[in-house]
Amino acid sequence: MQKNTKKSSIKPVARFNIKGIDNKKILNGVLPVRGAKNAVLKAQAASLLFSDEICINNSPLIDDVIKMNELLEDLGVEVKRMSERSFVFKQPKTFKTNLDPKIAKSFRASIVLTGPLLAREGKVSFPHPGGCVIGKRPIDVFLDAFIKMGAKLKIEDDRYILEAKHLKGIDLFFKVPSVTATETLIMTAVLINGTTKLYNCACEPEIESLADFLNLSGAKISGAGTPFITIKGGKKLKRGVFNTPPDRIEAGSFAIIAALCGKNLKIANCDPNHMHAILCVLENAGVDVKKGSNYILINAPSKLKPVDIKTHEYPGFPTDLQAPVCVLLTQAVGSSSIFETVFEDRLNYTNDLVRMGANIMNCGPHRAIVSGPTPLHGREMESLDLRAGLAFLTAALISESSSVLHNINNIDRGYEKVEERLNKVGAEITREN
Ligand code: EPU
């Protein structure tokens, strides 16, 4: 049994050297998918709802998970690594109520700790959460909900301070179906006496897996995975085990790579039932996709067809796959359009693809027209955020010449040692620290 390593999230800035395979369809073999980042982070945070301990299995070994462990340890939780991908979280009697500003500012999911801490300890103070720079990313929905539940809010020295002797169950309509707000309010309501009803909730599968985990541990949550969720709360949960589901965004990212340069490439340990939107786009683009119960097998076609993409909350096309799929569209014969509806700044990466040779016309912050096919040329570039970083890696992979991708720490936040897995199926990517 090892203790969670404390300073492991502070890493030197690393880079990838990527050999371009010049659009050849040569990646062959099996690409295994790890546990879902956006599910495991919420299960880690949910450990605050328990009086004893929880175990998380199939955790991806990514930087955001390590940061969440560090943040929990700083609050007083004992985090122990039981095996490669399993961690146990043991709760202290009382928690510290200040989220460490340096760690909390470095990733968005830190916000989900605020509600459980407020409900459990009557107080929480925290900085504005950080994460990928893809838009404004306000937290007004969270703050409004906590105030409606009875908390008092102060803002001092860039910190939000919330206090409440007792929170009360409420009826709440989300003005936007926010994923982390839905998850945070579910968790908060589990500890509050009374019933909370949430309307216009996000419906992402990660929300359902969180609710299933909490229900199996004794919570009373109904409707998760639909826009209307009811929580009957009032007491701490005792113990629980969370088996992290496969990462549908990682699986989708790999499916896009396979659609560009895969030859019988198998994406293994995934759940195709959570991937309808991306698989539908690939099929419409002319990609040969075979689905099994927990895998997909993909053959890149000689010619890709253009497709129009509009991002949408689940089950629509995920915003997290918008940048990777844009790379695919640069190779389609004809014009495709992209309409990003969730975040304001999620088309910034297109400038770099244009410098690689892509023909992309931005029509405002939300729309782009991609015309193809255009050969891509390798170059030196920087990962702007997690998903744009993966898009650049994909573009570099199919380029005519080699590329250098800096700041790959952004990719490590969500994809575990992605180069090792891609190299096993025929890519040539080296990491340099
Ligand atoms: N919004 C508000 N006010 C709020 C909260 C959100 O206006 O208080 C708006 C946002 O500005 C955005 C929309 O609501 O326009 C939806 O954002 P949401 O809150 O759903 O995003 P999030 O919960 O911060 C999660 C994922 C993101 C993913 C989005 C959308 C985590 C930790 N993050 O973010 O994942 O893009 O849902 O599916 O779960 C990623 O993995 O690369 C990533 C960015």
Side-chain angles (χ1 to χ4, degrees):
M1 212 157 58
Q2 301 158 257
K3 194 144 170 35
N4 181 44
T5 42
K6 263 220 148 169
K7 288 200 178 129
S8 41
S9 71
I10 300 158
K11 298 202 320 193
V13 177
R15 66 184 200 182
F16 281 149
N17 300 315
I18 303 152
K19 186 172 169 211
I21 56 178
D22 195 11
N23 246 328
K24 294 193 189 81
K25 319 296 180 201
I26 54 168
L27 296 197
N28 170 251
V30 180
L31 264 178
V33 173
R34 303 295 183 220
K37 166 177 92 75
N38 288 341
V40 73
L41 289 167
K42 321 310 166 48
Q44 289 169 277
S47 65
L48 299 184
L49 308 180
F50 288 76
S51 55
D52 199 340
E53 61 180 38
I54 68 160
C55 176
I56 295 183
N57 298 318
N58 193 33
S59 176
L61 304 176
I62 51 174
D63 287 359
D64 274 15
V65 164
I66 296 168
K67 283 180 200 163
M68 184 62 96
N69 282 348
E70 290 178 356
L71 205 44
L72 287 167
E73 284 184 318
D74 186 65
L75 293 174
V77 180
E78 201 183 312
V79 183
K80 281 185 184 153
R81 191 167 177 184
M82 308 303 283
S83 63
E84 195 192 9
R85 299 179 185 284
S86 294
F87 293 85
V88 162
F89 300 76
K90 194 166 171 39
Q91 310 311 320
K93 287 234 155 46
T94 52
F95 290 86
K96 206 173 124 180
T97 55
N98 294 341
L99 293 193
D100 179 288
K102 199 158 169 256
I103 310 174
K105 269 187 192 166
S106 69
F107 70 125
R108 175 76 181 178
S110 63
I111 186 75
V112 298
L113 293 166
T114 57
L117 265 183
L118 176 66
R120 188 160 175 160
E121 300 295 334
K123 185 174 177 181
V124 63
S125 96
F126 57 100
H128 196 88
C132 288
V133 186
I134 51 182
K136 290 190 212 103
R137 309 197 83 179
I139 59 165
D140 53 332
V141 172
F142 300 76
L143 298 177
D144 290 350
F146 296 145
I147 290 168
K148 200 167 174 202
M149 285 174 153
K152 296 245 175 316
L153 169 69
K154 281 189 290 185
I155 302 175
E156 279 176 13
D157 302 328
D158 290 340
R159 285 183 80 76
Y160 301 95
I161 302 167
L162 286 158
E163 283 182 335
K165 280 216 170 67
H166 299 288
L167 293 175
K168 58 176 190 294
I170 53 168
D171 282 11
L172 183 78
F173 179 86
F174 289 114
K175 65 172 185 173
V176 280
S178 159
V179 175
T180 41
T182 302
E183 293 160 334
T184 305
L185 269 294
I186 290 175
M187 289 194 264
T188 311
V190 165
L191 293 183
I192 297 177
N193 269 324
T195 299
T196 296
K197 291 183 179 172
L198 305 174
Y199 300 85
N200 197 27
C201 300
C203 301
E204 271 61 7
E206 293 75 26
I207 298 171
E208 214 176 332
S209 72
L210 173 69
D212 288 348
F213 159 54
L214 297 177
N215 281 340
L216 278 174
S217 314
K220 293 196 176 77
I221 304 160
S222 58
T226 76
F228 172 46
I229 301 179
T230 305
I231 307 107
K232 291 187 178 144
K235 61 175 182 359
K236 283 181 213 144
L237 309 175
K238 211 164 159 30
R239 286 167 166 262
V241 177
F242 181 72
N243 296 313
T244 315
D247 195 313
R248 66 193 164 92
I249 302 298
E250 178 170 275
S253 309
F254 287 168
I256 290 167
I257 293 175
L260 283 162
C261 50
K263 189 178 161 203
N264 270 327
L265 188 59
K266 183 174 180 181
I267 321 289
N269 313 339
C270 63
D271 185 348
N273 285 327
H274 291 161
M275 298 172 64
H276 291 300
I278 178 64
L279 296 182
C280 175
V281 165
L282 294 183
E283 279 164 354
N284 289 342
V287 180
D288 171 23
V289 179
K290 290 192 181 64
K291 285 171 256 185
S293 59
N294 65 348
Y295 70 88
I296 34 184
L297 190 66
I298 293 186
N299 268 303
S302 52
K303 211 168 160 186
L304 283 160
K305 293 187 254 177
V307 187
D308 294 337
I309 305 285
K310 180 181 173 190
T311 66
H312 197 275
E313 294 82 21
Y314 189 86
F317 190 87
T319 171
D320 294 340
L321 288 177
Q322 183 261 106
V325 88
C326 179
V327 179
L328 182 92
L329 301 180
T330 66
Q331 301 310 305
V333 184
S335 285
S336 308
S337 70
I338 294 181
F339 182 15
E340 168 59 55
T341 69
V342 183
F343 292 109
E344 307 83 23
D345 293 333
R346 234 182 181 179
L347 286 171
N348 291 346
Y349 68 89
T350 52
N351 296 333
D352 281 279
L353 291 186
V354 169
R355 283 184 209 113
M356 293 179 85
N359 182 351
I360 304 174
M361 189 170 66
N362 277 350
C363 321
H366 289 278
R367 288 177 191 267
I369 307 285
V370 187
S371 303
T374 48
L376 299 180
H377 321 290
R379 55 183 293 273
E380 196 157 344
M381 55 201 156
E382 181 132 355
S383 294
L384 299 174
D385 63 65
L386 170 58
R387 308 301 172 187
L390 199 283
F392 292 161
L393 176 61
T394 306
L397 207 53
I398 60 163
S399 290
E400 295 173 331
S401 47
S402 297
S403 298
V404 179
L405 183 54
H406 294 277
N407 206 10
I408 57 169
N409 303 45
N410 266 333
I411 299 180
D412 293 336
R413 289 188 44 210
Y415 297 89
E416 177 190 318
K417 292 188 185 149
V418 70
E419 79 284 12
E420 290 184 7
R421 285 179 285 161
L422 288 171
N423 286 345
K424 282 202 177 126
V425 294
E428 287 185 45
I429 307 168
T430 52
R431 178 185 289 264
E432 260 181 61
N433 284 320

